[in-house]
């Protein structure tokens, strides 16, 4: 089933698959059948063996910091390519190398690993040309290789090495075997980047360790990028190929606000103590982002296997240098060694859950359509680690990276008393004012919080603990938020409740920005502070139109749910997760159908995101743009939400509603919105929407087309299919034509 050779429909007929989305106990052989004991909530299997591993006995690994390459422009006829001298070949270019492969009849730019198909997975022609390439010509390049796990990859020193195809993650540059922890990349506004991602997995799709697809796609969640580099336009690529993603570091509203780049707050650090000014709205600057796989129908499996990492975006206000007072920099906890991007006191935390079989090998339940929750809590893919801190202020960028598990995090001291945190950012977007809390709001998969913790009130030798208090029975959604005393007493059947990491206050640490240098508390000065105002609010305005989007379960099925889906799943599945828009028919995902069309750059829409019920929760994710949280349909907002924060993932809550405001612009093409319980996403709870490009913008490479066709990838190359617009996709203009003459 993991490679598409058997269908759920066939399993139903054989009596080996139950209506609850679980394998039946066929002769007692099913490893996924729930045991009679209560020791397997919520995973549904026996508890993962720990092999003697105890909490807080391994140091938390910092993410694998990537070194960028300086990119050099090179003129080629009428095009400008970029490359890194001695390290980067072939050069990165506006048009995919697949274009020449296609034009040559498949004799040029052939995949060197297998001698068939193109060596670049990006689809051919102008549709997937990098938009505004020369305007945002890459100055830096990152190179990663997605590969099988190297020897020694494990979640704790006591646990066994993972088999090569159980974990698929990244190696730096051209390394063919991968390592944990996941990568971290630093980007800054005003410095466009190209990411080259090589796929070095095995070509045989059955060599996947029981789950995951060897064709993958990388989504930058949630930078302001063109659709061809968004990673979710059905443009996955195969072993032996690479894909060049153009991350333009464009500040949203670059075509509409501050177009002369005169506002010093709309800027990035220039590396020499100054600022590089950029057009756009400083209120839409982003900070803590991440990237992950977005291969349709296999996202959960591929992300869980290790296709993810974090992205720190730096700007004038968020420079990553706490000692520089230039009237723009907020001086948040970071450090002073580097001109920008210090991480000595600015720490990325990827919080996720995992499960293993009884041999200690990573596994994922591909048969569960409700959601998958593990029973081992990890930070940066290390089982319950500790982290040493000086007695001073730290910033933590916390990503909830489970597939279906929601977390609710807080800090306590050794006596079990709450320790306050200042929340400064949600989903990478500054709050207007910091909010002090003892416990964060629940985080669905994909949601982020940036918090500042002041350890100066503690002494070396003190220890603090980060706790998870959000209980699950299964992957449908959280069961309840537990009281602190119940968390401390472990009054729960969920093994993911309680401490997930330990903070040890010490008097010296090694510098992350200057490895080999020791920072001692005795002679260290904390220059950081958290100002009472971080940014300004985005105004709420009258929308051009309102969209009502209902997130539905199996109760919403209709005749349209039967039949083939697209892409490449044939008659593989029967989909139960659906989305209903503006009262039209429920739909499961089909990459060739557009459920929304946004016809004009700059238009403001209000979206009503409604959970259709059924006892589940959905974290709804919007690609390309951030939205302003308006209200929860009459339900009480948390202190963080009362600031109308900008976000890209909204936890809807059981039977809940969230209203948001979103403005589109700059880039066009096909994007998606979906449930970030990635199991729900893989079972078709997502929809395509299209943003029209601006025909009057001479820098836009897609001025010849409104809607782009749908790519249909294979190892032998990519073909295109003309998309259709669903009834709810029409933006209510009788004269609107998504396919002008000659474009269809």
């Amino acid at each position: 089933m993991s490679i598409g050779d058997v269908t759920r429909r066939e399993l139903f007929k054989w009596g080996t698959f139950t209506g609850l989305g679980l394998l039946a106990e066929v002769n007692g052989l099913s490893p996924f059948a729930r045991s009679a004991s209560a020791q397997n909530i919520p995973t549904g299997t026996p508890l993962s063996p720990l092999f003697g591993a105890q909490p807080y006995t391994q140091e938390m690994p910092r993410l694998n910091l990537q070194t960028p390459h300086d990119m050099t422009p090179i003129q080629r006829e009428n095009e400008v390519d970029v490359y890194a001298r001695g390290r980067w070949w072939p050069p990165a270019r506006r048009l995919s190398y697949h274009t020449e492969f296609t034009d040559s009849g498949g004799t040029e730019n052939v995949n060197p690993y297998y001698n068939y198909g193109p060596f670049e997975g990006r689809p051919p022609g102008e549709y997937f040309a990098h938009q505004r390439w020369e305007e945002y010509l890459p100055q830096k390049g990152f190179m990663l290789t997605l590969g099988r796990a190297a020897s020694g990859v494990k979640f704790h020193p006591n646990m066994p090495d993972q088999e090569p195809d159980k974990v698929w993650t990244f190696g730096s540059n051209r390394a063919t075997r991968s390592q944990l922890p996941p990568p971290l990349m630093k980007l800054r506004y005003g410095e466009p980047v190209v990411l080259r991602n090589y796929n070095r997995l095995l070509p045989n799709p059955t060599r996947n360790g029981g789950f995951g697809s060897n064709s993958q796609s990388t989504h930058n969640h949630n930078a302001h990028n063109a659709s061809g580099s968004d990673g979710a336009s059905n443009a996955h690529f195969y072993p032996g190929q690479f894909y060049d993603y153009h991350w333009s570091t464009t500040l949203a509203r670059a075509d509409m606000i501050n177009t002369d780049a005169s506002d010093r707050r709309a800027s990035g650090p220039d590396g020499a103590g100054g600022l590089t000014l950029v057009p756009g709205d400083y209120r839409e600057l982003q900070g803590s982002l991440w990237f992950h796989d977005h291969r349709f129908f296999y996202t959960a499996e591929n992300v869980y296997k290790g296709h993810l990492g974090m992205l720190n975006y730096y700007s004038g206000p968020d420079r990553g240098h706490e000692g520089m007072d230039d009237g723009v920099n907020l001086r948040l906890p970071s450090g002073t060694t580097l001109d920008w991007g210090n991480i000595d006191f600015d720490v990325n935390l990827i919080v996720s859950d995992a499960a293993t079989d009884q041999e200690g090998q990573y596994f994922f339940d591909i048969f569960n359509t409700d959601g998958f929750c593990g029973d081992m809590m990890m930070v940066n893919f290390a089982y319950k680690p500790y982290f040493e801190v000086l007695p001073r202020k730290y910033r933590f960028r916390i990503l909830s990276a489970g597939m279906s598990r929601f977390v609710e995090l807080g800090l306590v001291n050794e006596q079990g008393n709450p320790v306050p945190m200042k929340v400064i950012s949600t989903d990478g977007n500054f709050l207007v004012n910091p909010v002090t809390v003892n416990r964060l709001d629940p985080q669905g998969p994909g949601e982020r919080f940036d918090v500042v913790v002041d350890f100066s009130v503690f002494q070396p030798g003190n220890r603090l603990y980060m706790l998870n208090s959000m209980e699950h029975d299964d992957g449908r959604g959280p069961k309840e938020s537990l009281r602190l005393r119940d968390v401390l007493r472990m009054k729960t059947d969920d093994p993911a409740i309680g401490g997930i990491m330990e903070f040890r206050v010490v008097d010296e640490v090694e510098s992350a920005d200057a490895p080999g240098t020791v920072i001692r508390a005795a002679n260290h000065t904390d220059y950081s502070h958290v100002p009472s105002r971080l940014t300004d609010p985005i105004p709420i305005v009258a929308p051009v139109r309102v969209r009502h989007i209902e997130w539905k379960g199996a109760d919403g099925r209709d005749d349209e749910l039967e039949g083939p889906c697209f892409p490449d799943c044939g008659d593989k599945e029967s989909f139960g997760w659906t989305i209903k828009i503006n009262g039209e028919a429920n739909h499961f995902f089909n990459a060739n159908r557009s459920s929304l069309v946004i016809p004009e750059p700059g238009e403001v829409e209000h979206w009503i995101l409604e959970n259709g019920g059924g006892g589940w929760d959905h974290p709804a994710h919007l690609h390309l743009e951030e939205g302003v949280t308006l209200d929860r349909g009459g339900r009480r907002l948390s202190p963080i939400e009362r600031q109308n924060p900008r976000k890209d993932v909204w936890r809807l809550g059981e039977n809940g509603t969230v209203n948001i405001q979103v403005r589109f612009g700059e880039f066009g093409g096909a994007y998606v919105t979906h449930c970030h319980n990635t199991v729900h996403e893989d079972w078709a709870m997502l929809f395509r929407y299209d943003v029209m490009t601006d025909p009057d913008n001479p820098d836009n490479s897609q001025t010849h087309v409104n809607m782009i066709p749908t790519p249909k990838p294979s190892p032998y190359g990519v073909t295109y299919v003309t998309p259709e617009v669903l009834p709810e996709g029409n933006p209510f203009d009788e004269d609107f034509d998504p396919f002008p003459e000659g474009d269809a």
Side-chain angles (χ1 to χ4, degrees):
M1 180 171 171
S2 71
I3 61 171
D5 282 349
V6 66
T7 71
R8 287 184 69 232
R9 198 172 285 116
E10 289 171 320
L11 292 174
F12 278 123
K13 291 178 181 178
W14 298 344
T16 57
F17 203 4
T18 75
L20 296 176
L22 298 170
L23 275 178
E25 294 187 68
V26 182
N27 298 324
L29 297 179
S30 170
F32 297 100
R34 291 185 178 271
S35 71
S37 72
Q39 300 302 308
N40 54 8
I41 294 174
T43 303
T45 63
L47 288 174
S48 302
L50 299 180
F51 299 92
Q54 296 296 314
Y56 324 129
T57 55
Q58 65 170 326
E59 187 171 9
M60 186 199 76
R62 289 288 191 112
L63 297 183
N64 186 9
L65 181 63
Q66 301 299 299
T67 302
H69 304 290
D70 293 323
M71 303 305 287
T72 301
I74 180 173
Q75 190 72 39
R76 178 181 51 83
E77 298 178 346
N78 295 324
E79 298 277 355
V80 179
D81 302 342
V82 295
Y83 75 106
R85 296 182 186 275
R87 284 182 166 269
W88 197 293
W89 202 262
R93 55 172 57 172
R94 186 182 71 87
L95 281 170
S96 169
Y97 285 92
H98 193 321
T99 303
E100 293 177 357
F101 170 86
T102 302
D103 293 344
S104 71
T107 61
E108 297 182 16
N109 303 329
V110 178
N111 184 334
Y113 269 44
Y114 311 112
N115 294 317
Y116 59 78
F119 66 52
E120 182 173 7
R122 184 161 53 111
E126 290 288 342
Y127 296 119
F128 274 76
H130 293 312
Q131 295 181 41
R132 307 176 77 158
W133 173 251
E134 292 192 31
E135 181 183 0
Y136 297 109
L137 194 68
Q139 300 173 28
K140 296 289 185 181
F142 291 95
M143 190 181 296
L144 293 174
T145 299
L146 178 68
R148 307 165 75 212
S151 61
V153 169
K154 58 181 66 181
F155 307 127
H156 187 279
N158 285 42
M159 297 180 182
D161 288 7
Q162 293 299 301
E163 296 171 359
D165 292 308
K166 292 297 184 180
V167 173
W168 288 346
T169 186
F170 291 97
S172 300
N173 296 314
R174 300 295 291 271
T176 57
R177 287 298 184 99
S178 60
Q179 297 280 355
L180 291 174
L184 168 65
M185 287 180 269
K186 299 179 186 177
L187 292 80
R188 51 181 168 167
Y189 282 97
E191 187 175 71
V193 161
V194 61
L195 167 69
R196 175 162 292 177
N197 188 356
Y198 284 95
N199 186 337
R200 292 297 183 256
L201 301 174
L202 295 178
N204 184 346
T206 67
R207 297 286 299 275
N208 68 348
F211 60 97
S213 170
N214 66 354
S215 61
Q216 307 211 359
S217 182
T218 302
H219 167 51
N220 182 328
H221 178 139
N222 199 46
H224 202 64
N225 291 318
S227 62
S229 294
D230 180 66
S233 51
N234 202 44
H236 43 270
F237 62 108
Y238 290 83
Q241 297 180 332
F242 67 86
Y243 197 116
D244 281 347
Y245 295 92
H246 181 211
W247 293 347
S248 62
T249 66
T250 307
L251 179 55
R253 302 325 130 228
D255 294 347
M256 307 168 195
I257 296 174
N258 183 38
T259 55
D260 62 351
S262 60
D263 192 329
R264 296 180 70 239
R265 295 168 294 184
S267 57
D270 67 2
L275 298 172
T276 299
L277 304 187
V278 299
D281 189 345
Y282 72 92
R283 298 169 299 184
E284 300 216 43
L285 289 167
Q286 295 174 288
S288 299
L289 284 76
W290 66 304
F291 67 93
H292 60 84
D293 175 71
H294 220 296
R295 166 62 161 99
F296 294 146
F297 305 107
Y298 292 95
T299 297
E301 299 169 42
N302 291 345
V303 176
Y304 182 76
K305 286 179 85 79
H307 186 149
L308 79 165
M310 291 199 75
L311 304 167
N312 290 357
Y313 275 60
Y314 294 93
S315 60
D318 195 7
R319 188 183 188 94
H321 189 302
E322 65 185 44
M324 185 175 293
D325 189 2
D326 61 0
V328 174
N329 182 29
L330 297 173
R331 298 175 56 194
L332 295 167
S334 49
T336 59
T337 300
L338 309 174
D339 177 77
W340 63 277
N342 288 281
I343 58 173
D344 273 333
F345 312 109
D346 181 350
V347 183
N348 297 82
L349 305 179
I350 298 178
V351 177
S352 61
D353 53 332
T356 69
D357 61 23
Q358 294 307 291
E359 284 71 47
Q361 293 299 312
Y362 211 29
F363 84 84
F364 185 88
D365 185 353
I366 63 174
F367 299 97
N368 189 336
T369 62
D370 285 341
F372 179 74
C373 291
D375 57 14
M376 297 193 310
M377 293 302 293
M378 301 196 295
V379 181
N380 293 352
F381 275 64
Y383 171 70
K384 293 190 176 182
Y386 69 85
F387 183 67
E388 294 182 339
V389 296
L390 294 180
R392 55 149 291 155
K393 294 189 292 298
Y394 277 74
R395 173 182 183 170
F396 296 104
R397 303 175 188 244
I398 304 172
L399 163 66
S400 175
M403 299 308 97
S404 305
R405 182 179 285 281
F406 291 65
V407 296
E408 188 179 43
L409 303 176
L411 282 179
V412 297
N413 60 20
E414 292 169 284
Q415 292 73 42
N417 298 318
V419 175
M421 301 175 285
K422 283 189 176 181
V423 183
I424 61 172
S425 175
T426 60
D427 291 357
N429 304 280
F430 278 137
L431 298 176
V432 174
N433 311 108
V435 176
T436 300
V437 299
N438 289 332
R439 183 184 293 190
L440 297 175
D441 289 356
Q443 287 176 261
E447 290 190 88
R448 287 93 70 207
F449 283 117
D450 285 26
V451 303
V452 174
V453 179
D454 190 352
F455 294 103
S456 66
V457 298
F458 301 98
Q459 299 296 319
N462 289 159
R463 300 189 179 193
L464 299 87
Y465 299 90
M466 179 173 282
L467 305 179
N468 173 38
S469 58
M470 185 57 72
E471 185 180 44
H472 277 256
D473 270 348
D474 53 41
R476 294 165 65 87
K479 177 184 178 183
E480 63 176 321
S481 170
L482 298 180
R483 295 176 297 180
L484 178 57
R485 66 181 183 182
D486 291 335
V487 173
L488 295 173
R489 296 172 181 173
M490 288 300 294
K491 192 176 179 181
T492 177
D493 290 325
D494 185 350
I497 292 296
I500 67 171
M501 72 177 296
E502 178 183 76
F503 295 95
R504 298 179 179 179
V505 183
V506 297
D507 54 17
E508 64 179 37
V509 296
E510 182 180 0
S511 171
D513 297 313
T517 301
V518 175
I519 307 173
R520 294 180 172 85
N523 54 14
H524 171 73
T525 301
D526 180 358
Y527 294 101
S528 72
H529 75 140
V530 182
S532 60
R533 191 174 184 90
L534 299 166
T535 188
D536 296 315
I538 300 286
I540 309 304
V541 300
V544 172
R545 63 187 64 86
V546 177
R547 316 264 196 176
H548 184 193
I549 303 168
E550 298 176 74
W551 306 77
K552 307 284 286 183
D555 62 324
R557 294 183 59 167
D558 62 18
D559 292 340
E560 191 160 353
L561 301 185
E562 301 299 335
C565 65
F566 184 95
D568 74 9
C569 54
D571 199 24
K572 171 184 168 186
E573 313 295 357
S574 175
F575 292 102
W577 295 108
T578 64
I579 291 178
K580 184 175 184 177
I581 301 175
N582 290 336
E584 297 288 344
N586 300 339
H587 296 292
F588 62 81
F589 175 68
N590 181 321
N592 202 42
R593 302 185 304 204
S594 181
S595 294
L596 293 182
V597 175
I598 292 87
E600 297 290 341
E603 287 189 335
V604 174
E605 297 190 354
H606 285 186
W607 288 8
I608 303 167
L609 307 176
E610 181 182 352
N611 187 343
W616 50 76
D617 201 344
H618 301 297
H621 172 42
L622 168 68
H623 281 225
L624 175 64
E625 297 286 1
E626 312 297 292
V628 179
T629 307
L630 302 177
D631 58 62
R632 284 194 168 271
R635 292 189 179 185
R636 183 179 180 181
L637 296 174
S638 74
I640 297 171
E641 293 175 319
R642 289 173 201 154
Q643 297 202 34
N644 301 109
R646 293 174 56 246
K647 286 176 61 62
D648 57 58
V649 181
W650 290 267
R651 173 183 51 86
L652 299 186
E654 188 173 341
N655 301 311
T657 297
V658 178
N659 296 315
I660 67 171
Q661 171 179 289
V662 60
R663 183 190 296 268
F664 299 91
E666 284 71 61
F667 294 110
Y671 299 89
V672 294
T673 291
H674 61 88
C675 177
H676 221 292
N677 178 332
T678 47
V679 174
H680 295 180
E681 174 191 338
D682 285 341
W683 292 95
M685 198 171 211
L686 68 165
F687 66 87
R688 168 179 169 172
Y689 75 91
D690 286 74
V691 180
M692 302 296 98
T693 53
D694 185 355
D696 298 322
N697 187 340
D699 296 312
N700 198 317
S701 65
Q702 294 189 327
T703 55
H704 66 292
V705 66
N706 276 346
M707 287 188 68
I708 66 172
T710 307
K712 190 174 183 179
S714 79
Y716 304 97
V718 180
T719 57
Y720 285 110
V721 180
T722 301
E724 63 174 304
V725 179
L726 295 175
E728 65 267 21
N730 191 312
F732 318 123
D733 181 349
E734 294 180 358
D735 298 325
F736 171 72
D737 180 7
F739 302 104
E741 185 177 355
D743 286 339

